[in-house]
Amino acid sequence: MTARAPDAPTAPRALSRLRAPEAARGNALHAGAWWLWALGLATAASRTTNPLLLALLVTVAGYVVAARRTDAPWAHSYVAFLKLGLLVLLIRLVFAFFLGSPIPGTHVLVTLPELPLPDWAQGVRVGGRVTAEGMLFAAYDGLKLATLLVCVGAANALASPARLLKSLPGALYEVGVAVVVAMTFAPHLVADVRRLRAARRLRGRADRGVAALLQVGLPVLEGALERSVAVAAAMDARGYGRTAHVPAPVRHATSALVLGGLLGVCVGTYALLTADGAAYGTPLLAAGLAAALAGLRLGGRRSVRSRHRPDRWGVRAWLVAGSGAAVAAATVWADGRWPEALRPATVPLAAPELPLWPAASLLLGLLPAFVAPLPPAPTGPEPERGAERDAEPERRPEPPPYRRPHRSEESP
């Protein structure tokens, strides 16, 4: 008796279930998952100064943004954060060149005239010797800060600020509104600059240079002010700032829990960073988190707003957030195991090496590019006029115009 062969469409069905669906209102990824993923990458970037690992982190973040960003205004801010990171790196190198570096070195690149400073400014110098070791240390340090900005830019380009605000607890709604308005300022500013530069190109004017930048700055500022007035009017029309009546004991208990919880979190975190505070740091941190969450729960009673279609935290959100947490945990573990590989020395000068396992752990950050819902596909080209004519329904002939009958035709 022969075994029955499996059906042919079984494997394609399984693959179709694993394939990421197209993003819609019902299956959109939670905005908090993108921020947790980006914070995981930022944590990994803060634990290393290896330029090869930092470049790999930037590549991972850029690939995920290119694969999953939408056409929303905030999705185009990633390039601006890249440019900001390069600017930060350049400023760090300029400061190290003119103000010196704390890293001693023997390979002198150039000797600048040193400015004499008073005695109270000891430890600060302007000019002097510029060494290759000091410039390399400044480059590593600036690249780490630039990578942190890129990770924040990736979260800003992938997560919708409005959906993030909708997911905040009621006690943090007012603070969340201020944070979201501040976060959306940069994306809308980038969108306004791009729109004005395109308009200048269409009019045959230059869109590059200092003069063009000054002429674009005034309309951008005017648009920002108009947007602020519109946001304020919309908030006022929706009853922003209204609070429900809460008894005084509940309000006092909420304040005590939130303040005590935050104090416990700060003390517990400080104890964990010290050498001898690990015994009591973990209980304090856990108690502080529990008290803060309880205070936020009670504080949410003051909010009278309702949520329409709240975002769900599904399996794909867990995978996206878990990939960022896995990258952070693996980098922290590798920092304790191979500190010399994650923080290459600049004295003496040596080329950085790419550690295999930390680099492989950073590739876990690519998981959102395969499990997150696909952005909506762009609309196709307009159909040809012949196709539109063929698709149109057949029109009935219009009736003849009304003709008044002659007297001879009228009935007696």
Side-chain angles (χ1 to χ4, degrees), residues 161 164-166 168 171-186 228 231 235 240:
L164 182 63
L165 174 63
K166 187 171 65 173
L168 287 177
L172 299 178
Y173 179 67
E174 296 180 359
V175 179
V177 169
V179 173
V180 169
V181 170
M183 286 168 45
T184 54
F185 175 75
S228 301
V231 169
M235 292 168 63
Y240 175 76

Side-chain angles (χ1 to χ4, degrees), residues 46-200:
S46 66
R47 306 291 295 189
T48 180
T49 56
N50 192 322
L52 301 179
L53 294 178
L54 293 176
L56 184 59
L57 273 174
V58 174
T59 305
V60 168
Y63 181 80
V64 174
V65 170
R68 288 298 183 268
R69 73 175 179 180
T70 61
D71 293 333
W74 59 81
H76 301 283
S77 62
Y78 182 72
V79 179
F81 278 93
L82 278 177
K83 295 179 180 179
L84 181 60
L86 293 177
L87 180 61
V88 168
L89 177 60
L90 180 61
I91 292 175
R92 182 68 178 87
L93 291 175
V94 170
F95 279 9
F97 185 83
F98 289 102
L99 302 180
S101 176
I103 301 299
T106 57
H107 298 77
V108 181
L109 299 177
V110 65
T111 302
L112 300 176
E114 188 171 355
L115 181 66
L117 297 176
D119 296 338
W120 55 267
Q122 292 182 0
V124 180
R125 65 180 180 89
V126 179
R129 298 190 310 166
V130 180
T131 61
E133 291 84 354
M135 294 299 295
L136 187 61
F137 176 79
Y140 288 173
D141 195 21
L143 185 59
K144 180 173 71 172
L145 183 56
T147 307
L148 292 174
L149 290 174
V150 168
C151 294
V152 174
N156 204 2
L158 293 171
S160 171
R163 302 182 78 92
L164 182 63
L165 174 63
K166 187 171 65 173
S167 304
L168 287 177
L172 299 178
Y173 179 67
E174 296 180 359
V175 179
V177 169
V179 173
V180 169
V181 170
M183 286 168 45
T184 54
F185 175 75
H188 284 293
L189 189 67
V190 173
D192 289 345
V193 171
R194 293 181 59 183
R195 176 175 53 82
L196 292 172
R197 289 182 60 185
R200 290 181 64 86

Side-chain angles (χ1 to χ4, degrees), residues 207-373:
D207 61 334
R208 297 182 182 275
V210 179
L213 181 62
L214 294 177
Q215 294 177 2
V216 168
L218 185 59
V220 168
L221 180 60
E222 183 180 357
L225 292 176
E226 291 179 355
R227 194 180 304 112
S228 301
V229 174
V231 169
M235 292 168 63
D236 182 66
R238 288 168 174 82
Y240 175 76
R242 292 183 302 170
T243 56
H245 177 69
V246 178
V250 177
R251 286 190 282 108
H252 297 330
T254 302
S255 303
L257 286 173
V258 172
L259 293 178
L262 294 179
L263 182 61
V265 169
C266 294
V267 175
T269 305
Y270 179 78
L272 289 177
L273 295 177
T274 59
D276 302 330
Y280 61 89
T282 304
L284 277 177
L285 181 60
L289 287 176
L293 291 177
L296 293 178
R297 181 78 176 181
L298 289 176
R301 297 182 179 181
R302 298 185 60 191
S303 178
V304 294
R305 69 188 182 98
S306 59
R307 295 182 182 180
H308 179 62
R309 294 180 180 177
D311 292 339
R312 297 179 180 179
W313 191 280
V315 178
R316 298 184 185 276
W318 281 112
L319 291 175
V320 171
S323 65
V327 170
T331 309
V332 171
W333 173 77
D335 187 20
R337 186 100 181 234
W338 303 289
E340 65 280 354
L342 268 68
R343 292 185 176 87
T346 57
V347 180
L349 286 176
E353 298 180 357
L354 180 65
L356 179 60
W357 287 110
S361 66
L362 297 183
L363 297 180
L364 295 174
L366 292 173
L367 186 61
F370 303 98
V371 300

Side-chain angles (χ1 to χ4, degrees), residues 400-405:
Y402 174 74
R403 183 178 64 87
R404 184 176 181 179

